[in-house]
Amino acid sequence: IDPEVDVASIAEQARIASDDPLAVPALPEGWRPNAAELRTSAVDDVTAWYVGYLTPSNEYIGMYQGIEANPTWVASLLARTTATGTTTIDGVEWTVYDNRETSIDVGNAKYGLTTEAGDSTFVLLGTATPEEFETLAAALVPTVEAQR
């Protein structure tokens, strides 16, 4: 069993590196964070707050909050896949990347959601169900709204 990661306290420490509020979504029982850290992309020097979650169905969703991110950063996270549509979750519009049926190796980017707010670009990607993605996206709405 993975040790439970204290996302809130790590976010508090990471805040020193970012003026933007870092997302600490309040998730229902059964969600388990297994990693939380600031990451800097070597390719485009984008700093991102990353939290990895194991969902109630034991799948993975990575939550990235890129600070002053760019389209290249987003594309590299999503394995250069293309958007398949949009969805609105609790008033926030997200771009959907649904790669569950593709034969191309997209790694963990089987499904993804992206949205922008202020200086932050949020990217959710992983192997979980669209419903679990919606749960995480809905939990991010307060952070997204605060940055608009």
Side-chain angles (χ1 to χ4, degrees):
I1 291 194
D2 293 312
E4 190 78 10
V5 172
D6 186 346
V7 176
S9 75
I10 297 169
E12 196 52 48
Q13 295 162 18
R15 275 288 312 236
I16 298 158
S18 167
D19 295 335
D20 292 325
L22 299 179
V24 181
L27 290 160
E29 194 67 37
W31 286 76
R32 302 177 315 281
N34 63 3
E37 62 193 12
L38 275 181
R39 294 181 170 180
T40 301
S41 163
V43 179
D44 35 34
D45 208 33
V46 171
T47 297
W49 168 236
Y50 166 79
V51 184
Y53 289 100
L54 293 175
T55 68
S57 69
N58 254 344
E59 292 295 335
Y60 162 77
I61 299 180
M63 179 199 82
Y64 294 82
Q65 179 181 358
I67 312 301
E68 295 179 11
N70 56 47
T72 312
W73 176 80
V74 173
S76 66
L77 283 179
L78 291 164
R80 307 242 180 273
T81 59
T82 53
T84 54
T86 60
T87 186
T88 300
I89 300 165
D90 292 358
V92 174
E93 187 175 294
W94 295 79
T95 301
V96 177
Y97 295 78
D98 187 347
N99 304 301
R100 292 171 297 163
E101 302 300 320
T102 185
S103 57
I104 303 162
D105 180 11
V106 293
N108 278 331
K110 297 274 187 231
Y111 195 84
L113 295 173
T114 64
T115 195
E116 292 179 25
D119 286 340
S120 291
T121 300
F122 295 90
V123 177
L124 308 180
L125 62 86
T127 57
T129 65
E131 293 74 26
E132 287 175 324
F133 273 90
E134 282 188 30
T135 299
L136 180 51
L140 285 171
V141 167
T143 307
V144 171
E145 294 292 347
Q147 296 195 36
R148 287 203 161 145

